[in-house]
Amino acid sequence: MKNLKICTAIRNKTIEDEIIKIIQDAGWTHSNVIMDDVVNEHRSANQVFIIEDNYSQILNLIEFHNSCHLNFIPTVVLSAADSKCKEWVKGVKFTEKYFHCSLMNFRMIAVQTIETMSALSEAHDSILTNKYRNTVAAAFKKSALDFRTFLNEILETTLDILYAERGSIMLINEKGNLVVEAATKKPIIGLEIPPCNENVAWTVVNTMKPVFVENIENDTRFKKSGSGYAKDYFMSIPIFLNKKIAGVFNLSDKMVSLLFDNSDYEKANELLAVLEPYLYINKLANYIRSLKNQ
């Protein structure tokens, strides 16, 4: 709990100073709320938000992201005696992501409330990872070893967790080419791409490092080859098997912020770690088939 960052937006300066002191005495970090805290930082940092309900714009922004069941921004909503927005918290989609308390009473239970909301967020993240693991296992079993069907079935869930609207999974085949095994853009499934230095995916393979592109039109490293990005920003990351490069995972059209960042990269790697044993089984199955065809 000591690594918590507490973001506050409280109009009453006296009460805010008192709460900030409580936060600092507990060994936590304090910050006034900024948009990036809500949009991006909560995905990579342990955060709790304390917002007076008169700050309707901040609360509405938080609720926009909290309305996705895969997301969890723990928020304490404080009401002053003369507040005109006391009913706000009753209209949210997932009430467990909010704790409603009077501004005056919160000072007496601040530490316990913050710790509880943080623990709820951590529990939700653990549950989400377990659900993803179970979803992957069920999809693999149902696919009857049709690996391309399996990958396409779990791709959508993977993209939802990473807030991306579009994406693809590319694996290196026995000829040394990249093959699109799964994609939201169905016509490109099965597309085989030989090595090419000006291709984003092959840059990831050759460097074994992620590529973040802000504007492919202005990025001199690559050519926009007509692949049809709806938005110019995207992220491509390496897929490893036994610490060897095995393919590329591409994400584009992010839903919650302009650019992909290291928070997305870290979360994507957690999900790829869940997929790794299934990718390895597929690799072994392909090897067995190749032996039979000799």
Side-chain angles (χ1 to χ4, degrees):
M1 295 293 184
K2 293 300 180 183
N3 293 324
L4 274 176
K5 178 181 179 183
I6 316 300
C7 303
T8 64
I10 302 170
R11 293 187 187 277
N12 187 309
K13 185 69 168 59
T14 301
I15 295 179
E16 182 181 50
D17 288 344
E18 186 176 342
I19 292 174
I20 290 173
K21 185 177 186 308
I22 292 171
I23 292 168
Q24 292 172 340
D25 287 347
W28 300 323
T29 300
H30 170 262
S31 173
N32 292 323
V33 174
I34 59 173
M35 183 175 291
D36 195 56
D37 287 325
V38 181
V39 175
N40 281 321
E41 187 67 11
H42 75 273
R43 293 174 295 116
S44 61
N46 295 322
Q47 289 185 312
V48 173
F49 289 79
I50 302 174
I51 315 295
E52 189 174 343
D53 61 4
N54 284 309
Y55 283 100
S56 57
Q57 288 185 323
I58 297 175
L59 286 172
N60 288 335
L61 179 63
I62 290 173
E63 172 58 11
F64 175 76
H65 296 290
N66 257 341
S67 61
C68 170
H69 78 280
L70 298 174
N71 200 17
F72 198 115
I73 305 177
T75 304
V76 180
V77 182
L78 302 180
S79 292
D82 58 348
S83 173
K84 298 178 181 179
C85 309
K86 290 183 179 180
E87 300 300 308
W88 181 90
V89 77
K90 295 181 181 179
V92 301
K93 190 170 183 180
F94 298 105
T95 56
E96 68 272 14
K97 300 176 183 180
Y98 300 90
F99 180 87
H100 192 202
C101 185
S102 74
L103 191 61
M104 299 302 293
N105 289 340
F106 178 70
R107 295 173 296 177
M108 297 180 287
I109 58 172
V111 172
Q112 297 90 336
T113 303
I114 291 169
E115 288 180 342
T116 300
M117 294 305 292
S118 177
L120 279 173
S121 180
E122 290 176 5
H124 179 271
D125 188 61
S126 177
I127 290 170
L128 177 60
T129 301
N130 288 333
K131 283 185 176 179
Y132 181 75
R133 187 176 288 108
N134 292 335
T135 298
V136 171
F140 186 74
K141 183 178 181 179
K142 188 174 71 173
S143 68
L145 297 182
D146 180 346
F147 198 67
R148 188 168 285 177
T149 298
F150 160 70
L151 285 182
N152 278 280
E153 185 165 336
I154 58 92
L155 177 62
E156 185 175 343
T157 300
T158 307
L159 294 176
D160 281 345
I161 294 174
L162 297 169
Y163 305 104
E165 294 179 357
R166 299 173 68 183
S168 63
I169 297 174
M170 311 171 76
L171 299 176
I172 300 173
N173 66 7
E174 67 281 354
K175 295 185 292 185
N177 296 332
L178 277 169
V179 180
V180 180
E181 300 290 351
T184 50
K185 188 178 179 180
K186 301 307 179 186
I188 69 171
I189 295 174
L191 180 67
E192 192 166 332
I193 305 171
C196 173
N197 290 334
E198 294 178 335
N199 179 273
V200 176
W202 272 107
T203 299
V204 173
V205 172
N206 293 332
T207 62
M208 294 189 290
K209 294 180 179 180
V211 168
F212 301 90
V213 175
E214 296 185 12
N215 189 332
I216 196 169
E217 294 281 9
N218 299 328
D219 200 315
T220 58
R221 295 175 295 176
F222 315 111
K223 289 183 178 179
K224 191 168 184 177
S225 58
S227 54
Y229 294 103
K231 302 170 185 174
D232 284 332
Y233 51 90
F234 58 91
M235 177 177 72
S236 296
I237 68 174
I239 298 172
F240 292 101
L241 287 182
N242 294 331
K243 299 183 180 180
K244 293 182 180 180
I245 189 74
V248 177
F249 183 25
N250 303 297
L251 303 91
S252 68
D253 301 7
K254 189 175 180 182
M255 292 181 284
V256 297
S257 184
L258 179 59
L259 303 175
F260 291 99
D261 57 22
N262 280 322
S263 299
D264 302 295
Y265 177 51
E266 291 168 4
K267 189 63 179 179
N269 276 328
E270 289 181 26
L271 303 182
L272 288 176
V274 174
L275 288 179
E276 184 170 356
Y278 300 93
L279 298 176
Y280 189 64
I281 288 173
N282 179 64
K283 183 177 181 179
L284 290 177
N286 288 337
Y287 178 66
I288 292 170
R289 281 192 291 267
S290 69
L291 291 178
K292 290 180 178 179
N293 293 330
Q294 287 181 1

